[in-house]
Amino acid sequence: MDLAEKTRRRRRREAVVTHLCLILGVLIFAFPIYLTIIGSTHDVNTIGRGDVPMVPGGEAVANYTQAWEAGGGRYMGTPAGRMLANSLVMALLIAFGKIAISLTSAYAVVFFRFPGRMVCFWLIFITLMLPVEVRIIPTFQVMVDLQLINTMTGLVVPLIASATATLLFRQFFLTIPDEYVEAAKIDGAGPLRFFRDVVLPLSVTNVAALFVILFIYGWNQYLWPLLIVNDRSLETIVVGLTKMIGGGDSQNEWNVIMATAVYALLPPVAVVLLMQRWFVKGLTETEK
Amino acid sequence: MATLYLQDIRKSFGPTQVLHGVSLDVADGEMIVIVGASGCGKSTLLRIVAGLETQTSGQVVIGGQDVSGLEPADRDVAMVFQNYALYPHMSVFGNMAYGLKIRGVPKAEIERRVKEAAELLGIGALLERRPRQLSGGQRQRVAMGRAIVREPKLFLFDEPLSNLDAKLRVQMRAEIRRLQRRLGVTSLFVTHDQVEAMTLGDRLVVMHGGHAAQIATPMEIWAKPADTYVAGFIGSPAMNFLRGTLSHGGVVATLPGGVSVPLPGRAGADGNEVLIGIRPEHLRPGVGGLSPVIELVEPLGSESVLHGRLPDGSPLTARLPGAVHPEGALALTLPPESLHVFDAGSGKRIEAVA
Ligand SMILES: Nc1ncnc2c1ncn2[C@@H]1O[C@H](COP(=O)(O)OP(=O)(O)OP(=O)(O)O)[C@@H](O)[C@H]1O
Ligand SMILES: [Mg+2]
């Protein structure tokens, strides 16, 4: 009975300590977001004065409407609605493009024996060593030559090739037992059939996981859009947001900027929340 | 339903030759069991018949048609894999129907055939389940069902029972045999289990190091093994071999200890070295033959297996009726009619000349 009491006390102590740590972590992560949301509900002067309000103000509707319809900042930039649409299209194209390209190239490398197979694999592999920033100037030159500056194509295509995703899918495909391939051969399924009927369904959870990562990767692109787009109508929200913040000599419309930042936050959060369901489903219904 | 004819199949993987010329003639509806130790090329032979592997030379003829250059799908064969290879994301129905769907069989026909096969195998209630929701035995049945619905010319089985527990294996063995008889489909069945081989096959192919050591009915292989490998491989416990020298015009073999063993007939010229084979169950107690020292007795109930050594140190196994046997010296006779004589050099069987 003494021991039981001890155990209970130790359990309680452990629970308190872990919860304290977790709450502290949540506060550290959540506080800037809280500030952003609060900031987006005040008028321009409140933040301009240097106060940091901790309770919501009454200007939310006005701020969000302005951000959505007109934009804000020094140049009275692009409306957030427009920028969100651009970002969404870009991120989706990048995510789907990367998945499509890497699925097919991994499929080719794993399931087919052709001359130069390993060369192809290593070519893909070594592109991992070159981050986007290193090849950004030559890529820019190519885009200029192809007259793809200020187009969605120019914005998306150079970002689509993906060694990482190809390698991930290759590793996954290598775990698909040879017997499935052989059973499919005997069943009479050709390579495309096998891809569609067996490989794709088995990869669904991997595709979902990768989609989340790649969508956020695409959404957060900064350097490349900054370089290739100077047409306001093609502005993405991440770039647009930084352009709204002035150099310091002028007053920033922090309320509108914060509202725009909240807009910029929503799609990635939505994707994570929506796909999280998929993750869990994929994890609990593991098929193999 | 079809005949199968293999002509001098050879296969090399790079520099290593795995099959050294296997020929086989299978009648319509026959069940052939390919048996042999691990790594002797059984699976390779089966996969060549299926078209999953290409032979280096030789011919595969199914139903009178040379299929050597054809894709697996065009050979009209069905295969049951060791780990079943059921598609994990498809239901049982989907797995069984997949081959038919690809071949463009009409939906109603697919439905009918799958239902029929499922009834036959007793898995009619499981059609909506996924493979992972099935027990090993049920998966085995689904894999069989997938082969049956195709109504192929040839069934190919690659150790389909080796993932099941002992009891289920015996049950499925009988079931496969019954099914194969009923459907009358020509079948090749690979196994390394000699009991499975003896009970399932109309004929056995005993493989040894890429050769077909013997192709015959189970009883013939048991009664007249073609060489020492087959003799030692089929039968449990394994056959005893005694080295001897022919004398008395080739009808008697003299063992190293000086014991003379009368043979069932003339086995060659005097002075030839031979191996005399005798199955443990054919040794009888009695003086005038071998005198081993028994070191271990394994009682099996109605009979016992005795392990001992001959005076020259070579091991000997005997299977005698009765449960109680003492360890120590024992006298055993060799009935001439149960002796097998093999050439000591080549290991080939020597038929007695009366
Ligand atoms: N793809 C391959 N490349 C090289 N060698 C191979 C290949 N497949 C099989 N072998 C070799 O061929 C030999 C026969 O293999 P096989 O799979 O036919 O044996 P098996 O009789 O089926 O054995 P088990 O009873 O263990 O399944 C083995 O020595 C194996 O190492
Ligand atoms: Mg094998």
Side-chain angles (χ1 to χ4, degrees), chain B residues 38-39 41-44 47 82 158-159 190 192:
Chain B
S38 185
K42 309 179 295 284
S43 299
T44 308
R47 292 161 54 80
Q82 177 171 2
D158 192 354
E159 308 203 23
V190 164
H192 58 251

Side-chain angles (χ1 to χ4, degrees), chain B residues 117-126 138 141 175:
Chain B
E119 287 314 317
L120 195 64
L121 291 159
I123 50 173
L126 308 176
Q138 290 167 334
R141 281 165 216 262
E175 212 158 304

Side-chain angles (χ1 to χ4, degrees), chain A:
Chain A
M1 133 215 124
D2 226 20
L3 269 180
E5 178 58 32
K6 246 188 203 163
T7 313
R8 211 164 342 174
R9 223 180 280 159
R10 202 181 58 225
R11 287 242 178 89
R12 208 161 34 229
R13 201 165 50 234
E14 275 170 10
V16 169
V17 170
T18 43
H19 276 84
L20 274 181
C21 290
L22 284 175
I23 289 169
L24 192 69
V26 167
L27 283 181
I28 291 174
F29 280 110
F31 187 64
I33 296 172
Y34 177 75
L35 266 192
T36 311
I37 294 172
I38 295 299
S40 67
T41 60
H42 287 273
D43 65 9
V44 65
N45 294 323
T46 316
I47 312 175
R49 272 200 307 275
D51 295 348
V52 183
M54 296 302 284
V55 288
E59 298 296 313
V61 177
N63 291 340
Y64 282 95
T65 324
Q66 194 200 330
W68 186 265
E69 283 170 357
R74 211 155 34 133
Y75 309 110
M76 289 309 288
T78 324
R82 170 95 242 159
M83 295 196 292
L84 276 177
N86 288 336
S87 276
L88 200 65
V89 171
M90 176 184 71
L92 285 177
L93 285 177
I94 289 177
F96 280 117
K98 272 180 183 290
I99 286 173
I101 293 267
S102 47
L103 266 176
T104 42
S105 45
Y107 185 64
V109 166
V110 173
F111 289 101
F112 294 87
R113 302 279 166 273
F114 53 91
R117 188 172 67 99
M118 283 325 274
V119 175
C120 289
F121 172 68
W122 282 106
L123 277 179
I124 294 172
F125 190 72
I126 56 174
T127 60
L128 268 184
M129 319 285 167
L130 290 175
V132 175
E133 289 73 15
V134 173
R135 49 193 154 95
I136 204 157
I137 298 302
T139 313
F140 185 76
Q141 183 60 48
V142 172
M143 289 299 124
V144 172
D145 292 347
L146 291 176
Q147 300 188 325
L148 288 173
I149 301 293
N150 273 327
T151 60
M152 186 52 89
T153 319
L155 184 57
V156 165
V157 167
L159 295 173
I160 277 185
S162 175
T164 325
T166 308
L167 289 179
L168 281 176
F169 280 125
R170 173 180 179 265
Q171 286 323 106
F172 172 67
F173 289 170
L174 286 177
T175 67
I176 294 181
D178 284 345
E179 278 83 0
Y180 292 167
V181 183
E182 297 182 343
K185 272 190 195 163
I186 288 178
D187 274 340
L192 288 180
R193 241 2 247 250
F194 181 66
F195 183 68
R196 204 188 66 196
D197 290 349
V198 181
V199 174
L200 265 191
L202 289 179
S203 316
V204 160
T205 50
N206 287 34
V207 168
L210 215 58
F211 175 79
V212 174
I213 296 167
L214 295 179
F215 180 85
I216 290 173
Y217 165 87
W219 187 264
N220 286 337
Q221 277 306 310
Y222 177 69
L223 192 53
W224 181 247
L226 186 66
L227 213 62
I228 194 113
V229 171
N230 45 43
D231 179 351
R232 281 284 167 79
S233 66
L234 214 56
E235 195 90 278
T236 62
I237 196 147
V238 174
V239 175
L241 199 55
T242 53
K243 283 190 182 168
M244 287 166 81
I245 301 168
D249 47 346
S250 61
Q251 192 185 10
N252 289 317
E253 287 183 281
W254 285 111
N255 53 339
V256 181
I257 296 174
M258 300 266 186
T260 313
V262 172
Y263 281 137
L265 211 65
L266 292 179
V269 168
V271 165
V272 169
L273 287 183
L274 285 176
M275 301 305 277
Q276 203 177 25
R277 284 233 196 97
W278 262 95
F279 275 169
V280 177
K281 206 175 154 200
L283 291 180
T284 50
E285 277 184 19
T286 181
E287 316 237 42
K288 252 201 331 146

